Amino acid sequence: MRIDIVTGLPEILNGPLSESIIKRAQENNSVTIAIHNLRDYTHDRHKTIDDTPYGGGAGMVLKPEPIFECIEALHKERRYDEIIYMTPDGNRFTQSIAAGLSLKENIVILCGHYKGIDERVREALVTSELSIGDYVLTGGELAAAVVVDAVVRLLPGSLHDSTSAMTDTFQDNLLGAPVYTRPPEYRGMKVPDVLLTGNHSAIEEWRQEQRIKRTTERRPDLLNKKSE
Ligand code: 6GU
């Protein structure tokens, strides 16, 4: 899979995308992530990527020209399955959207900043819009990092253990079961006996019970939800 990220603030993305699972996935070629700086697609001395909104009001709006030129340059190189714009008014990002994106060949993720991007970009270039939740971030970069992380860890070759993804919280719309590691007793707190038995079917049964119990207590809304 290839992910091209278009941003006015590439520095924010370098850290999150060069650690741990995402780093390993890039090293073993499960994914290629390319970050594109909108300032490289400007033609003025000050490398201007934003301007004041028509009609007045607070904040700055990302100009259309650098975004059109950047995405046109990408389109010349390959076909894209999706041009995704990160915005708080987009569709709420979910595990099932992550799973769908992990099956794509090439995607672009466009990060907005300041007050947003010129609406003509959304009309002409963007194919889908994602939000990571009902709160406002200063820009789409951290949200893009969240989406990339959730998608890349699902790619074959990313996790040590692919069954790990199948027992994730939100798989089957259930939260995950509690987990423990050594020692078996710590400060008087014991690991549940069943986990020490080596009886795999009893362990699986316990885990499933725990997942249902946890979901009922913490996220009853998930129980009535058909997998979307
Ligand atoms: Cl995708 N962008 C911004 N700026 N804020 C957000 C968001 C995205 N998702 C939730 N809040």
Side-chain angles (χ1 to χ4, degrees):
M1 176 179 201
R2 181 182 169 103
I3 304 175
D4 288 277
I5 306 177
V6 176
T7 171
L9 290 170
E11 300 80 11
I12 298 181
L13 287 159
N14 290 332
L17 300 184
S18 55
E19 291 300 324
S20 182
I21 285 174
I22 302 188
K23 181 181 185 180
R24 195 172 340 119
Q26 292 180 90
E27 283 167 357
N28 69 25
N29 297 317
S30 300
V31 69
T32 302
I33 301 173
I35 299 174
H36 306 277
N37 187 348
L38 281 175
R39 292 187 192 278
D40 295 339
Y41 296 86
T42 56
H43 304 288
D44 64 310
R45 232 166 18 98
H46 297 105
K47 300 187 187 292
T48 311
I49 59 169
D50 56 3
D51 203 343
T52 52
Y54 273 122
M60 298 291 269
V61 175
L62 287 180
K63 291 166 64 59
E65 305 96 313
I67 301 176
F68 270 82
E69 289 184 32
C70 178
I71 291 179
E72 275 164 12
L74 291 173
H75 272 138
K76 287 205 177 100
E77 298 297 321
R78 63 192 69 76
R79 218 202 119 259
Y80 284 94
D81 301 296
E82 297 264 15
I83 311 288
I84 300 164
Y85 172 48
M86 300 306 306
T87 174
D89 55 12
N91 291 323
R92 178 86 63 87
F93 183 58
T94 61
Q95 188 63 33
S96 79
I97 292 175
L101 289 176
S102 75
L103 303 174
K104 308 282 185 191
E105 203 63 48
N106 302 311
I107 64 172
V108 171
I109 302 180
L110 170 61
C111 305
H113 218 250
Y114 314 112
K115 262 293 164 205
I117 61 174
D118 189 283
E119 188 69 18
R120 290 165 290 191
V121 172
R122 300 170 75 161
E123 286 169 2
L125 296 177
V126 167
T127 62
S128 69
E129 304 192 326
L130 291 178
S131 160
I132 62 165
D134 292 341
Y135 40 82
V136 179
L137 304 168
T138 53
E141 285 76 13
L142 292 175
V146 166
V147 169
V148 170
D149 187 291
V151 170
V152 168
R153 65 185 288 285
L154 297 177
L155 297 175
S158 221
L159 294 179
H160 284 305
D161 177 3
S162 69
T163 60
S164 178
M166 294 192 285
T167 57
D168 280 347
T169 282
F170 296 126
Q171 192 69 31
D172 313 324
N173 284 329
L174 289 178
L175 303 181
V179 295
Y180 297 87
T181 186
R182 280 178 282 273
E185 181 172 345
Y186 183 66
R187 300 193 178 185
M189 298 177 283
K190 287 187 169 152
V191 174
D193 288 334
V194 63
L195 296 178
L196 307 177
T197 60
N199 179 341
H200 293 293
S201 66
I203 291 170
E204 265 330 294
E205 200 174 310
W206 179 84
R207 285 183 171 153
Q208 195 59 15
E209 280 166 20
Q210 292 293 314
R211 300 181 78 207
I212 292 165
K213 178 165 175 279
R214 278 217 155 158
T215 311
T216 307
E217 287 166 2
R218 300 178 182 199
R219 291 295 305 278
D221 58 299
L222 291 175
L223 292 171
N224 318 312
K225 217 166 81 173
K226 277 269 159 278
S227 3
E228 20 168 299

